[in-house]
Amino acid sequence: MPPANSIPSIQIRQPSGMPAFLTVWSGQLVSLVGSAMANFALAIYIWQLTGQATSFALLGFFGALPNILFAPFAGALVDRWNRKLTMMISDIAGLVVNSAMLALLVWGHLEMWHLYALAVFNGIFMAFQWPAYSAAISTMLEKRHFARASALLSVADSASGILAPMIAAILVVTIGIPGIILLDAVSFVLAIITLLAVKIPQPPKTELTKEASGNLLKEALFGFRYIFRSPSLLGLQLTFFFGNLLATFGFIVSTPMILARTANNATILGLVQSVGGIGGVLGGLLISIWGGPKRRIRGVIGGWFLTFAGMALLGFSQGVVLWAAAMFCIGFFLPLVNSSNQAIWQSKIPPEIQGKVFSVRRLIAQLSSPLSMLLAGPLADYFFEPGMLPGGVLAVIAGPFLGTGAGAGMSLMIFLMGILGTLVAFITYSIPSIRNVETIVPDFVLPLSDEPDLSPFTGAGPPEKRTSLSQESLPFLIPPPLTPGIEVSPLRSSKQLLSEAATLAGRGQTKAAISLLRQCIASRETDQATRQVASWKLASLLYLIGKDRLADQILLHYREEGSNHGPR
């Protein structure tokens, strides 16, 4: 037998980067399908048990309220904790909820108050899931993959919308609701296994990390301070605040509307929801291949408009064909909205504080949803539905267009919310601080190393094959050799300027870092090698904030002037 020290150790290499993301994504896809099947089965159970839209709305309310209330504290803890472990704990909580629900169903004691209590418990842990997942993506992938990753998440969500209703409609008859919930529990286990299999890096600690640190309350409030000091980011989230207010009003009654207008036909409900899922998959695949619009804000606002147009069509329709067409439209354009918005935030917010900022961002966007859920059910049951019965006060006006009878009042609600939502999109585009958010708010910059970061340059192709370059604006950025330079205080050498620029860039203060690099490049005291390194770092920052033409000019100028002193 060979000695122990001669036996080679076996090391299992965990995937990282895009392979790791795709591994986690596949586990989430399975989990989403399982959860969507369980939700479909529970929707039928609740409608048969109560026959009221209020029950759906209250269930959504009890799930959303703790998610929102705990969001700032969850975000602060996400930035403190291991993000991979945090995601696993959230999945374990979902498994516990499913087990409790399954036990109550098998014993024949599952009532609405049980579902409300379980929704509260699950909502608390879901407050951790989303910021941890979003922040993890920022450390797993390069910026250029952010929109594609978000689109793939939409594909997973929409794919579950295709598969789950069709499968659940069959399984409700064959294995019953308890069997479907058991399958959902198994899907949570698979999601946990995929998380165990991959490597998810933690973000680096920077000066901004220290600024955001403190007791839990201070860290929870940091996200508010960060967003509120940027009118553009705040305005962007207020767009989602009002959009979600209207969307929740409409979507929360869409399932009971279809059931009411089809005499509880689960097959039609499953068909319509599956077509919506197909639209979501196709829309998400398109974004993952295309990458989304160059100006992400156009994807956000344009996507909102088209999504709400689909909602208006859903409310206006009275048959399965137009319902399916409307749900396809909604599903197709939602990935454009979410992937564009996610890409904006992931590129603007430094990874080390994304947990805090993203949780507050989610709170602002979804704060209106519980209010909608509380009001939508009673409004549907006690105002819109009675008003759209034959001879009702609303039926006189809207009846000729939307029909009357069971479900017509909810159709009117959905139609009105869709029209108001398109107006929100128009108003948002008319506000310059929101429309120009991508140019007003700079991208975050990872701490600069001592070596020049060549990735923006090498990834864009050689300069001689790119846009034609004008030397007219070069003196503004880099004085030619014979142009008098900017005198730098003897207290700050060129090396110190480079170091301070790296620190500022690490804090996300891109403009200040650019200013110091310009001083370093323009100073008479800067030697050629240092000037060359500073110019490449300056070009990297300019690429990150979208100033490609100026970055091209810098690179070409120093390629020609100092080819013998290139970065090493």
Side-chain angles (χ1 to χ4, degrees):
M1 181 176 179
N5 58 8
S6 68
I7 299 176
S9 61
I10 299 176
Q11 294 183 346
I12 300 176
R13 183 178 179 182
Q14 292 180 306
S16 59
M18 183 57 79
F21 168 76
L22 292 176
T23 301
V24 175
W25 176 83
S26 63
Q28 293 298 313
L29 172 61
V30 173
S31 179
L32 285 170
V33 171
S35 297
M37 288 195 303
N39 290 337
F40 182 91
L42 283 174
I44 297 173
Y45 177 83
I46 292 170
W47 185 253
Q48 292 174 344
L49 184 67
T50 67
Q52 290 187 328
T54 301
S55 300
F56 289 87
L58 285 175
L59 185 62
F61 169 80
F62 285 114
L65 186 62
N67 195 329
I68 292 172
L69 292 179
F70 280 86
F73 300 98
L77 292 172
V78 162
D79 284 338
R80 288 184 180 185
W81 296 346
N82 182 287
R83 290 171 178 177
K84 174 179 171 178
L85 180 61
T86 304
M87 294 164 63
M88 291 174 58
I89 291 173
S90 298
D91 284 334
I92 292 171
L95 180 60
V96 170
V97 168
N98 270 38
S99 301
M101 195 183 307
L102 179 61
L104 289 168
L105 263 176
V106 171
W107 293 336
H109 296 301
L110 183 62
E111 299 179 13
M112 286 307 304
W113 75 267
H114 294 132
L115 292 175
Y116 296 154
L118 291 173
V120 170
F121 179 82
N122 192 57
I124 293 173
F125 285 91
M126 287 303 102
F128 294 86
Q129 173 81 0
W130 186 83
Y133 199 3
S134 298
I137 291 173
S138 299
T139 57
M140 293 169 71
L141 301 176
E142 300 175 26
K143 287 184 183 180
R144 59 193 176 95
H145 293 310
F146 286 169
R148 288 184 172 88
S150 182
L152 284 173
L153 295 179
S154 295
V155 168
D157 194 33
S158 300
S160 67
I162 299 173
L163 300 173
M166 294 188 295
I167 299 173
I170 299 172
L171 293 181
V172 163
V173 179
T174 56
I175 64 175
I177 295 176
I180 293 176
I181 293 177
L182 178 61
L183 290 177
D184 187 22
V186 173
S187 73
F188 275 112
V189 174
L190 292 176
I192 294 169
I193 292 173
T194 59
L195 283 170
L196 286 170
V198 304
K199 177 182 179 181
I200 299 179
Q202 287 293 104
K205 302 298 183 182
T206 65
E207 291 297 322
L208 190 57
T209 309
K210 297 178 181 178
E211 179 186 341
S213 299
N215 58 51
L216 185 59
L217 179 60
K218 178 185 175 182
E219 292 188 23
L221 294 176
F222 177 82
F224 288 100
R225 297 198 305 271
Y226 194 95
I227 293 176
F228 276 68
R229 71 188 183 193
S230 172
S232 296
L233 293 177
L234 178 59
L236 181 60
Q237 281 315 98
L238 288 178
T239 298
F240 279 80
F241 174 89
F242 290 108
N244 287 332
L245 175 71
L246 301 173
T248 305
F249 254 109
F251 283 126
I252 200 71
V253 297
S254 62
T255 294
M257 181 272 288
I258 294 174
L259 289 173
R261 303 201 88 165
T262 61
N264 296 343
N265 193 316
T267 302
I268 292 179
L269 175 64
L271 174 63
V272 171
Q273 291 184 349
S274 294
V275 172
I278 292 172
V281 167
L282 294 178
L285 288 175
L286 175 63
I287 299 298
S288 65
I289 296 170
W290 167 36
K294 187 174 182 180
R295 289 198 62 194
R296 307 292 188 191
I297 191 63
R298 292 179 178 174
V300 174
I301 298 175
W304 263 125
F305 175 82
L306 294 169
T307 299
F308 276 113
M311 179 182 285
L313 177 61
L314 178 66
F316 185 79
S317 308
Q318 300 183 48
V320 63
V321 174
L322 288 180
W323 285 337
M327 289 298 286
F328 181 90
C329 179
I330 293 169
F332 186 82
F333 290 109
L334 270 178
L336 177 63
V337 177
N338 293 327
S339 64
S340 299
N341 186 54
Q342 185 78 337
I344 290 174
W345 284 87
Q346 285 179 323
S347 62
K348 304 298 179 186
I349 309 301
E352 64 270 24
I353 60 167
Q354 283 187 2
K356 302 178 185 69
V357 176
F358 280 15
S359 60
V360 172
R361 163 195 161 198
R362 189 175 179 87
L363 183 151
I364 295 172
Q366 297 191 351
L367 187 61
S368 58
S369 295
L371 177 63
S372 297
M373 293 172 184
L374 279 179
L375 297 179
L379 281 174
D381 290 332
Y382 303 111
F383 179 71
F384 281 95
E385 280 292 292
M388 287 295 286
L389 293 175
V393 63
L394 298 176
V396 176
I397 302 172
F401 306 101
L402 305 178
T404 58
M410 290 181 280
S411 292
L412 178 59
M413 285 180 63
I414 296 169
F415 176 75
L416 292 176
M417 297 306 108
I419 296 299
L420 290 174
T422 59
L423 294 178
V424 169
F426 275 118
I427 293 171
T428 299
Y429 193 76
S430 68
I431 301 174
S433 62
I434 304 177
R435 186 176 66 246
N436 300 317
V437 61
E438 291 171 273
T439 55
I440 294 173
V441 182
D443 284 7
F444 77 82
V445 181
L446 292 175
L448 297 174
S449 63
D450 292 334
E451 295 297 322
D453 178 12
L454 307 184
S455 57
F457 173 57
T458 56
E464 61 269 17
K465 294 184 179 179
R466 297 176 65 188
T467 58
S468 59
L469 303 175
S470 167
Q471 300 293 324
E472 293 178 0
S473 59
L474 276 178
F476 172 75
L477 290 173
I478 308 170
L482 298 179
T483 302
I486 301 174
E487 294 296 339
V488 180
S489 168
L491 297 177
R492 291 200 299 178
S493 67
S494 298
K495 298 290 186 182
Q496 288 173 324
L497 287 171
L498 277 177
S499 176
E500 290 179 26
T503 301
L504 291 171
R507 294 175 180 173
Q509 299 177 21
T510 310
K511 292 183 179 179
I514 287 175
S515 177
L516 289 183
L517 289 171
R518 286 179 56 197
Q519 291 183 47
C520 178
I521 292 168
S523 172
R524 291 172 178 167
E525 298 180 359
T526 304
D527 59 67
Q528 181 66 23
T530 303
R531 181 175 286 113
Q532 188 77 16
V533 172
S535 69
W536 282 74
K537 293 193 177 201
L538 176 58
S540 296
L541 294 180
L542 290 172
Y543 277 125
L544 289 172
I545 63 174
K547 303 295 185 181
D548 291 9
R549 186 174 180 81
L550 293 176
D552 287 342
Q553 293 170 348
I554 293 170
L555 292 173
L556 182 62
H557 180 79
Y558 278 95
R559 184 186 180 98
E560 294 172 349
E561 293 291 330
S563 58
N564 294 328
H565 303 277
R568 293 175 291 277

